[in-house]
Amino acid sequence: MNNLLNVALLFGLSISTTYAQDKQWQMELVFKGEVSPEKFENEVPEFAKEFYEPFLKGKMAYRNVEILADADYSSTVVNQKAHAILNRKLAKTYSYSIGDDIVTAEAYSPSYKIVSTKLGESDGPYVQLQDMGEIESIAGITCKKAKLFIKNHADSAVATVWYSEAVPTYYLTAFSFINDLPGGVLKLSLGENNDLGFETTKVINVSSVADFTLPKNAKVIDISGGGNTSEGEDVSLFEDTFPLDKSLKWTMVKDKDTNDEYYGIKNMAGEDVLPCSLFSLAYFNEQTAIVSDKDNYFWLLDKKGGKVNKEGFDWLTPANQKLAIFQKDGNFGLVTQEGKVLLDKKENISKFLDNYLMFSENGKVGLLDENGKILLKANLLFLDADNAGNVLVREKEGEETKTLDLEAFLKTYVK
């Protein structure tokens, strides 16, 4: 069920491992770099877009990732919210976000074959690993440097990795090509330069045993699937994530040519309310969901199967339970669950600390409240937050970045 990975399974962790450590490993990955929407659309091969999407300008999926791993289990936390737990023996990954009462389970299967020599076009997706013969210390761990040639039929991409065979492997969905490498990747660069990638800032080998448990009272939905799927088969994740009115039901068809799955809505008489054209679904609030379709447009969907916005957005994600952040024609804005646009034509809008949002305009940054009201006009040169929840701010070129707690920042800058 490849499409359902877009619904809820943000990441999994590698099943293939030969390590016999009697300790656990804690790691922190920090992401860097941005790719412009123009380059993303025009220069990145279609299959490789998943590798670059975490770095798409204005849509940074990850800032930091925390990993705990040993020989039997792995656990990943993205931006302190999204969790994944892997049971290596069962070859199962489980994912959820803070506050969820549903956990999605997925059977693991490798996306790429790791090889040392080039394969033929008919051999399917593979990664050719070329050892660069270089050794480098990353966060105190000795790593080997290798070039990866990622091949997917007629298209290809490249990456450079620094990995250690002493560290258990892990897997982020966006970087599935590192899945079966000889060791855990502590540093990665996409493409031919070092502008995009991540690096491990902390690696600790610990002897204490930590729990790899699922949230209590959470319902586990297995989206592994199996065999050929016909219309009306497994739609449980859509049903549990966003239940429709009682007179309606989710349905699904599989494209025979591409094997992609598309979802739609029928009434109890079997009539189409919304044809099977939806590719993914994300929870917004109890009354509204965010969906994308086969044409890569995003919509607000109500419980009656109606599209709330009249025109599709190029991108849409919840800001909170009241507002969603959208992108249209390269510009960002805010829209309510009723489809009312509050702000538009901003260079960027993203979540900040607590319920605040930050926005960019004319190269400067400002602050919004949870209702989309401008609290601070875009007059800051730089605004961000660190892992401890402090505000990082700089007003103009040449001055040092200030570190303030949120309360002090609001008192100083929000008049």
Side-chain angles (χ1 to χ4, degrees):
M1 285 193 159
N2 294 332
N3 287 6
L4 284 180
L5 292 178
N6 295 307
V7 179
L9 190 57
L10 300 176
F11 39 77
L13 296 164
S14 173
I15 300 299
S16 177
T17 180
T18 57
Y19 306 111
Q21 297 102 337
D22 57 357
K23 296 181 179 180
Q24 294 171 350
W25 294 75
Q26 293 178 341
M27 292 168 273
E28 291 184 2
L29 310 181
V30 175
F31 285 69
K32 67 172 185 177
E34 287 185 331
V35 59
S36 68
E38 294 77 18
K39 182 176 181 179
F40 180 80
E41 290 298 331
N42 300 323
E43 299 182 24
V44 178
E46 191 63 35
F47 90 95
K49 284 188 179 343
E50 65 173 338
F51 313 154
Y52 284 80
E53 193 167 14
F55 305 97
L56 191 56
K57 186 175 182 179
K59 301 182 184 179
M60 282 291 288
Y62 309 148
R63 287 187 180 177
N64 55 73
V65 175
E66 301 172 8
I67 294 172
L68 179 66
D70 62 20
D72 295 325
Y73 294 93
S74 292
S75 175
T76 297
V77 183
V78 174
N79 296 339
Q80 302 179 0
K81 293 181 180 180
H83 291 241
I85 296 174
L86 165 71
N87 185 319
R88 297 185 190 274
K89 294 180 178 179
L90 296 179
K92 285 276 190 180
T93 58
Y94 304 86
S95 64
Y96 62 95
S97 293
I98 293 295
D100 287 354
D101 55 5
I102 295 174
V103 174
T104 56
E106 175 80 2
Y108 171 79
S109 59
S111 299
Y112 292 89
K113 182 188 300 182
I114 306 299
V115 299
S116 58
T117 58
K118 183 178 179 180
L119 300 182
E121 292 291 339
S122 62
D123 290 318
Y126 69 88
V127 172
Q128 180 185 353
L129 186 150
Q130 179 181 329
D131 194 335
M132 304 293 286
E134 299 179 26
I135 300 296
E136 184 174 337
S137 177
I138 307 295
I141 301 295
T142 300
C143 295
K144 296 180 180 180
K145 182 180 180 180
K147 181 77 86 174
L148 303 182
F149 298 93
I150 310 154
K151 190 71 175 176
N152 192 312
H153 302 295
D155 292 321
S156 62
V158 298
T160 304
V161 295
W162 290 256
Y163 69 91
S164 170
E165 295 176 345
V167 178
T169 56
Y170 60 89
Y171 171 66
L172 302 175
T173 297
F175 309 102
S176 53
F177 54 86
I178 67 173
N179 173 53
D180 290 319
L181 294 181
V185 172
L186 302 189
K187 182 178 178 181
L188 175 145
S189 294
L190 279 176
E192 299 290 354
N193 54 54
N194 296 323
D195 294 338
L196 301 178
F198 63 77
E199 184 169 351
T200 305
T201 58
K202 182 181 77 172
V203 184
I204 301 176
N205 194 219
V206 294
S207 57
S208 61
V209 177
D211 290 331
F212 294 90
T213 57
L214 301 176
K216 293 182 178 180
N217 303 319
K219 181 178 181 180
V220 178
I221 304 296
D222 195 317
I223 60 173
S224 299
N228 296 323
T229 305
S230 59
E231 181 175 352
E233 208 163 317
D234 192 356
V235 294
S236 58
L237 184 60
F238 271 51
E239 290 175 343
D240 286 298
T241 302
F242 189 65
L244 300 166
D245 282 355
K246 293 182 179 179
S247 60
L248 304 174
K249 60 182 180 180
W250 288 105
T251 185
M252 182 268 284
V253 297
K254 179 175 287 190
D255 188 298
K256 294 181 180 179
D257 296 325
T258 65
N259 214 36
D260 287 332
E261 298 157 359
Y262 297 106
Y263 296 78
I265 299 171
K266 291 181 181 291
N267 59 27
M268 293 307 171
E271 301 168 331
D272 280 336
V273 174
L274 183 67
C276 288
S277 61
L278 302 182
F279 185 78
S280 70
L281 178 145
Y283 180 83
F284 182 17
N285 58 42
E286 291 186 357
Q287 300 301 319
T288 314
I290 291 175
V291 297
S292 68
D293 62 22
K294 61 175 64 178
D295 296 319
N296 295 319
Y297 286 113
F298 286 76
W299 307 86
L300 295 166
L301 186 77
D302 62 30
K303 284 186 170 293
K304 295 182 179 180
K307 293 179 177 178
V308 177
N309 44 308
K310 296 180 180 180
E311 295 184 356
F313 295 115
D314 298 329
W315 179 72
L316 192 62
T317 190
N320 50 49
Q321 290 196 356
K322 301 176 182 178
L323 302 175
I325 302 168
F326 70 83
Q327 185 180 30
K328 182 72 173 177
D329 299 327
N331 297 311
F332 288 80
L334 291 174
V335 61
T336 69
Q337 70 173 27
E338 295 82 17
K340 181 181 179 181
V341 174
L342 299 183
L343 288 176
D344 62 359
K345 298 182 178 179
K346 304 302 180 186
E347 294 171 2
N348 187 25
I349 298 178
S350 59
K351 295 181 181 181
F352 193 52
L353 297 173
D354 287 356
N355 293 320
Y356 295 102
L357 306 169
M358 57 184 183
F359 72 100
S360 300
E361 191 172 43
N362 298 321
K364 298 292 185 71
V365 188
L367 192 69
L368 306 169
D369 68 11
E370 62 181 357
N371 298 311
K373 179 182 177 181
I374 296 178
L375 297 178
L376 176 64
K377 293 182 179 180
N379 54 25
L380 299 175
L381 184 65
F382 175 78
L383 181 64
D384 204 347
D386 63 18
N387 293 338
N390 294 314
V391 178
L392 307 177
V393 60
R394 190 165 64 249
E395 294 183 63
K396 55 186 178 181
E397 293 283 0
E399 74 173 15
E400 293 186 0
T401 300
K402 300 175 184 177
T403 301
L404 304 170
D405 61 40
L406 180 59
E407 184 178 356
F409 167 76
L410 295 174
K411 287 182 179 180
T412 302
Y413 289 93
V414 178
K415 308 299 182 181

